[in-house]
Amino acid sequence: MKSVTVKSSLLLSLLSATMLAATPAFAHVSVMHSVAGGSGFLAGFLHPLMGADHLLAMLAVGIWAAQHQRPAYWLLPLAFPLMMTAGAALGMSGVIIPGVEAGIAASVLILGLLIAGAVKLPLAASTALIAVFAVAHGYAHGVEMPVDGKALSFCAGFVAATALLHLSGLFATITANRFLNAKISRFAGAGIALSGLFFVSAMA
């Protein structure tokens, strides 16, 4: 009975945190610019954490990776930061990519649905999908990178935060699967998908 109560409490906490993250504010908020003058490592680190769409997508990458078998455990969380850096370079270079915000919103919805359905794609397909989403998220970071010579430290900051979010999702899911119930991650995925649906509808 006690274990059921613990599982229920954890599930409610996960869902509550997910839905609280689904606020009207998207990733590009002015709060980030008030920290460290809007540039440098700290500002870059906070950038993914300040936007619910970035935060949920990056947690979702870790959760979805944990639903796969090795080597997806490490490959998906590695592919995302690498391709996100490439997307950031595109954003800094002034390349125009239309529909990036819609793509970011869609990434939250799609990853949430994949997690909720415990969908395991072939590794190549999973990596390609993650790469596309990563470029969109990275591009959004890139267009807001500082032009005061701190671009590299800003980039290092958001890559570090991204890796931390991936690992948080990965290890939380592994722990839940081992000691609680594998369905917890699927419920969390449903909450992420609902948040993604909100983001997508807000773009319309």
Side-chain angles (χ1 to χ4, degrees), residues 35-179:
V35 181
S39 62
F41 181 89
L42 181 58
F45 186 87
L46 290 177
H47 200 256
L49 305 178
M50 291 292 188
D53 47 0
H54 285 314
L55 188 149
L56 288 175
M58 292 169 187
L59 281 173
V61 170
I63 297 171
W64 194 42
Q67 290 183 325
H68 286 68
Q69 301 297 319
R70 293 185 179 88
Y73 268 23
W74 58 266
L75 184 57
L76 298 185
L78 178 63
F80 195 101
L82 289 175
M83 294 307 298
M84 186 176 66
T85 303
L90 291 175
M92 290 184 66
S93 68
V95 174
I96 304 299
I97 301 179
V100 168
E101 290 291 347
I104 290 172
S107 73
V108 180
L109 173 60
I110 293 170
L111 285 170
L113 290 173
L114 290 170
I115 294 167
V119 177
K120 300 178 181 67
L121 300 176
L123 184 58
S126 298
T127 306
L129 183 64
I130 288 297
V132 170
F133 292 155
V135 169
H137 284 268
Y139 181 88
H141 291 312
V143 295
E144 295 196 354
M145 275 192 185
V147 292
D148 57 0
K150 296 182 179 179
L152 285 179
S153 58
F154 184 88
C155 181
F158 71 69
V159 168
T162 296
L164 182 61
L165 288 169
H166 290 343
L167 291 175
S168 297
L170 178 69
F171 287 116
T173 304
I174 293 172
T175 301
N177 290 348
R178 180 172 299 176
F179 298 107

Side-chain angles (χ1 to χ4, degrees), residues 7-18:
K7 292 176 185 179
S8 299
S9 299
L10 180 57
L11 175 58
L12 287 173
S13 298
L14 284 170
L15 292 176
S16 297
T18 299

